[in-house]
Amino acid sequence: MPVWPVLIAVGLAFSVLAAWAARRLLDGSIGWMRAGITSLVVFIAALPLATWSLRAAGVLDGDRVVASTPIALAFFALSLGWLFAVVVVCVVTLEFAWPSHGVPNPIAAVREAFRRRDRARRYTEILSIASRHGLAVFGRPRDAGMPRDLPAAVVAAANDAGVTFIKLGQMMSARDDVLPRELVDALATLQMDSTPIPWADAKQAIEIELRKPVGEVFRSIDTEPLSAASVAQVHTAKLIDGRDVIVKIQRPTARRQVVTDLDILARLAADLERRTTWARDYGTVALVEEFSRTLHDELDYRVELDNIELLREATAASPWALRIPQTYRELSTERMLVQERVFGAPLSRISPGDLPNEYATAIADHIVAAVLDQVLTRGVFHADLHAGNVIVDTDSRDPALAVTLVDFGALGIVEKSLRRLLAALLIAMGNEDDAGATDLVLLICEAGPTVSKSALQREIGALITRVHNAASGDDVFRLLVDALRRQRLAIPPSLLLVLRTLGSLDGTLRRLSSRYNLTRKGIELAGRARPLGLSPRDIVMTAQVQLTLFAEGARRMSRRIESISRQLDDGTLSVRAGIFDSADERTWVDGLVSRVTITVVGVTLVIAGSLLGVSDAGPVLAGDVPAVSFIGSTLGLGGLLLLLRSLSSSFRSGRARPRRPSGG
């Protein structure tokens, strides 16, 4: 019988068994394919060396076994053991150099290939845009600095890059606590205007959403868009029953570009957190994830539809309610929104002096009262009050009916506890009570151990004095954010959104009257809001809740005191330290102790095996090989395998250990 079929069978059997044993030894983290191929290659490469060693030991003579069967089997087992050790060494080395991954699903692999292609194209496009505006990182002389007007260059590049980067810039314009003031001011000017798509494409997109011809739903529809942005464009239309509506249809390619851009941003954020400390401190991955959720919500017009109805319900009983367009849920989808058409002019097209001063002031007063009512009383407010989202019917003589809000993609929510503190803060500022305003700020914001209350009070006092003596009213909300940032206070996101909204509204109302003082009017109206819990009903309900909490705490405290007294009497009182109290901490400690133990045992076996391996004591098993030397080789093999297991386990633990959550 030929020898080669036997060798093939033995090689395959060794490869399968060695792959299985290697995966078990390394906790199954190595793929079958990698372990199997490595085992087969090692067997083929090391077979001549193993054969030579068995001949040198006197087990083989040519191709004939000359040692007794038990001795021969022991030497064969030891040789296979060392071959297996070489397999594990090779597998661990490969794992260090080239970490293993699961075999991808074929469909997922194809999709990922298309994503890579889209990312590569988009990377090229973004780099080209950045280069045009002087922001390129590569291909620029070493001595070339950044553009002289960096904020303007960033804004221009974002406008060219499209919807994702425009939205990102708009979001970052609210991060007064992170970015320099000049960059924040520049990002706030980002616009969404864009070239409209042809009517044929828009009509096809509308019919896809309606699932029927346009003529079955609309009596007429204007082929020229009323406005066009990077995400969508708006067409005016009439329903079959004659009602005037607008149709907001999403661009067919907008979502695909956003998905690619968000994929790029997520990868860049993760890479920054791996490489830089500042990115971990600010939590860039969490920031991009939040931005991604927000942008996906804005691309889903059902969310905007829900926002419209929520704000309408929340402000229905308000004496200061602004008009909110009616919506048509049955005609609206994820990519299309149909709502009542609003007639009038956005404040972005109105200049100071276009309206009679008294009427313009009355409109501004009504808007301020309505927004403060939304923020301080209802807890739900329109969070994007730039001049284009406030429509004024210049033909109406009633300020309460003249103003309509549009574009509800951003809606703010303020919890009642913050509403009470915020109203009290405005009242304290109106009363020039800098001490009270400082205490309220510290209740609202998270203060670190280095915050100086006296320095903060001086900042707030100077701000209040400046506001009270300014002729037209400074942007107190921006000044307040600047002061809190200088004092390194952590501003709650809901408060930051409120301040940003009021700051945006301040600029919007100056389109009506350049001298309008939103701050003074807001402070005057804050005392009329009802979030303070001072009505008889609120006082009774708050007292009931607090009494219930106090009674429950007292009842539990008496039980705890009784339990401690009983344990003291019984001598069973014990104190448990908080260290290693969580399951994750205990698992980490158990793993560390296990690895240290395995390493110590492995080192001991390797040393013992080395000492015994060179000994010539004991009976001779085969040829010139004494029994003690054979035992030493066996112990060394066992120690080496233990060390390899410990090394591989430590390496995987270091790669998989989660980062500590970072603030920012």
Side-chain angles (χ1 to χ4, degrees):
M1 178 180 176
V3 176
W4 64 266
V6 177
L7 289 177
I8 292 176
V10 172
L12 292 176
F14 173 81
S15 300
V16 173
L17 292 175
W20 174 80
R23 295 183 78 252
R24 290 295 300 271
L25 181 68
L26 302 176
D27 296 332
S29 62
I30 310 301
W32 272 105
M33 183 176 295
R34 172 176 293 199
I37 293 176
T38 304
S39 302
L40 184 60
V41 170
V42 168
F43 179 82
I44 294 173
L47 184 61
L49 180 62
T51 303
W52 173 84
S53 64
L54 290 174
R55 288 171 179 165
V59 176
L60 293 178
D61 185 8
D63 293 333
R64 216 165 32 85
V65 178
V66 295
S68 63
T69 301
I71 298 297
L73 290 176
F75 272 91
F76 277 119
L78 181 62
S79 298
L80 290 175
W82 277 102
L83 284 179
F84 173 68
V86 175
V87 168
V88 175
V89 169
C90 293
V91 168
V92 171
T93 302
L94 284 173
E95 188 69 11
F96 281 161
W98 180 25
S100 60
H101 302 283
V103 178
N105 181 294
I107 297 177
V110 172
R111 287 177 178 171
E112 181 58 28
F114 281 113
R115 290 195 189 102
R116 287 199 191 98
R117 181 202 62 186
D118 292 342
R119 283 199 302 271
R121 289 177 178 174
R122 189 62 174 148
Y123 274 129
T124 304
E125 184 179 351
I126 292 170
L127 289 174
S128 175
I129 292 170
S131 179
R132 283 203 306 270
H133 295 283
L135 300 173
V137 178
F138 306 104
R140 196 175 53 178
R142 288 174 177 259
D143 56 349
M146 297 304 289
R148 185 169 301 174
D149 190 353
L150 178 61
V154 171
V155 168
N159 277 321
D160 287 352
V163 54
T164 308
F165 293 92
I166 293 174
K167 289 288 185 182
L168 180 62
Q170 291 174 339
M171 183 192 76
M172 294 307 297
S173 70
R175 294 306 300 265
D176 308 64
D177 57 330
V178 175
L179 298 178
R181 169 62 55 198
E182 57 273 13
L183 188 55
V184 168
D185 291 341
L187 291 175
T189 66
L190 282 167
Q191 301 296 322
M192 296 295 292
D193 294 340
S194 181
T195 304
I197 60 174
W199 165 242
D201 295 339
K203 180 181 178 182
Q204 182 182 17
I206 293 172
E207 291 181 337
I208 289 174
E209 299 304 314
L210 290 174
R211 298 183 179 179
K212 60 181 68 173
V214 169
E216 293 185 16
V217 178
F218 303 105
R219 178 189 298 178
S220 64
I221 186 167
D222 194 346
T223 58
E224 292 296 323
L226 184 65
S227 62
S230 299
V231 178
Q233 61 189 44
V234 176
H235 292 263
T236 59
K238 280 184 181 293
L239 295 176
I240 294 296
D241 60 10
R243 285 176 291 179
D244 289 297
V245 296
I246 61 167
V247 181
K248 182 179 180 180
I249 183 67
Q250 193 173 111
R251 288 173 177 261
T253 60
R255 189 174 294 263
R256 181 176 179 180
Q257 179 180 320
V258 166
V259 168
T260 301
D261 287 345
L262 291 177
D263 187 14
I264 290 173
L265 289 175
R267 291 170 179 274
L268 290 176
D271 193 51
L272 282 173
E273 283 207 359
R274 282 195 301 269
R275 296 173 182 272
T276 65
T277 302
W278 67 265
R280 289 192 293 272
D281 290 341
Y282 280 119
T284 55
V285 169
L287 188 65
V288 169
E289 289 175 351
E290 178 62 28
F291 170 67
S292 178
R293 284 192 295 269
T294 301
L295 190 51
H296 278 299
D297 283 347
E298 291 194 22
L299 289 173
D300 187 348
Y301 294 152
R302 295 170 300 184
V303 174
E304 183 174 351
L305 188 66
D306 292 339
N307 289 345
I308 294 173
E309 295 181 356
L310 174 61
L311 188 60
R312 180 184 292 111
E313 289 295 324
T315 60
S318 170
W320 306 101
L322 300 173
R323 291 192 68 245
I324 296 174
Q326 292 294 323
T327 56
Y328 297 85
R329 182 175 286 274
E330 69 278 9
L331 299 178
S332 300
T333 66
E334 183 180 358
R335 292 177 173 84
M336 186 174 74
L337 178 64
V338 180
Q339 65 183 46
E340 170 193 2
R341 182 180 180 184
V342 176
F343 292 93
L347 285 183
S348 58
R349 297 181 184 175
I350 295 178
S351 301
D354 288 353
L355 299 177
N357 185 64
E358 184 177 346
Y359 182 56
T361 302
I363 291 177
D365 287 348
H366 185 78
I367 294 174
V368 173
V371 172
L372 285 179
D373 181 71
Q374 291 178 15
V375 171
L376 300 179
T377 303
R378 315 298 162 182
V380 181
F381 65 97
H382 193 302
D384 191 14
L385 292 174
H386 64 74
N389 287 343
V390 181
I391 309 297
V392 175
D393 183 0
T394 54
D395 295 330
S396 173
R397 293 296 95 190
D398 185 354
L401 301 176
V403 181
T404 305
L405 301 181
V406 297
D407 193 353
F408 298 83
L411 202 69
I413 304 292
V414 186
E415 62 275 20
K416 188 173 183 179
S417 58
L418 179 57
R419 299 203 303 268
R420 287 198 301 264
L421 295 173
L422 188 55
L425 177 61
L426 290 175
I427 294 171
M429 294 175 68
N431 196 36
E432 292 194 76
D433 183 1
D434 56 295
T438 302
D439 291 336
L440 287 165
V441 165
L442 291 175
L443 285 173
I444 295 173
C445 301
E446 184 178 343
T450 61
V451 172
S452 169
K453 182 178 178 180
S454 59
L456 177 62
Q457 183 172 335
R458 284 194 298 272
E459 285 249 30
I460 292 178
L463 184 151
I464 294 174
T465 302
R466 177 176 176 177
V467 167
H468 273 267
N469 290 282
S472 60
D474 290 325
D475 187 350
V476 63
F477 312 107
R478 175 174 295 181
L479 295 175
L480 180 59
V481 170
D482 287 342
L484 299 183
R485 183 175 60 176
R486 283 193 295 271
Q487 295 300 321
R488 299 187 178 276
L489 290 175
I491 307 174
S494 53
L495 174 62
L496 199 60
L497 184 58
V498 168
L499 297 178
R500 175 197 175 222
T501 300
L502 294 176
S504 177
L505 179 62
D506 186 43
T508 296
L509 296 182
R510 291 179 192 273
R511 308 284 302 185
L512 288 168
S513 174
S514 59
R515 306 288 292 176
Y516 188 78
N517 193 327
L518 180 148
T519 305
R520 192 166 297 165
K521 188 64 179 179
I523 289 173
E524 174 191 332
L525 294 173
R528 304 179 192 174
R530 296 185 293 103
L532 301 177
L534 296 178
S535 69
R537 179 176 176 275
D538 286 341
I539 291 174
V540 170
M541 293 183 68
T542 301
Q544 182 180 356
V545 171
Q546 295 300 323
L547 183 61
T548 301
L549 291 173
F550 177 78
E552 182 65 20
R555 185 175 64 84
R556 295 187 181 186
M557 182 61 69
S558 63
R559 288 183 180 178
R560 290 172 183 153
I561 293 174
E562 180 184 355
S563 175
I564 292 173
S565 300
R566 185 171 58 253
Q567 291 177 15
L568 284 172
D569 291 340
D570 298 341
T572 59
L573 180 66
S574 61
V575 179
R576 186 178 65 181
I579 187 171
F580 303 137
D581 194 35
S582 71
D584 289 341
E585 290 175 338
R586 291 195 297 273
T587 300
W588 178 79
V589 171
D590 290 343
L592 179 62
V593 172
S594 175
R595 288 196 297 272
V596 170
T597 302
I598 291 174
T599 302
V600 171
V601 173
V603 170
T604 303
L605 289 177
V606 168
I607 293 175
S610 300
L611 295 175
L612 294 176
V614 297
S615 174
D616 56 359
V620 175
L621 298 179
D624 296 329
V625 180
V628 173
S629 179
F630 182 86
I631 294 172
S633 297
T634 305
L635 292 178
L637 172 62
L640 178 61
L641 293 176
L642 288 177
L643 290 176
L644 290 172
R645 176 185 173 87
S646 177
L647 180 63
S648 177
S649 178
S650 299
F651 176 67
R652 287 196 313 276
S653 175
R655 277 192 315 180
R657 184 179 301 134
R659 296 184 185 276
R660 293 181 300 172
S662 57

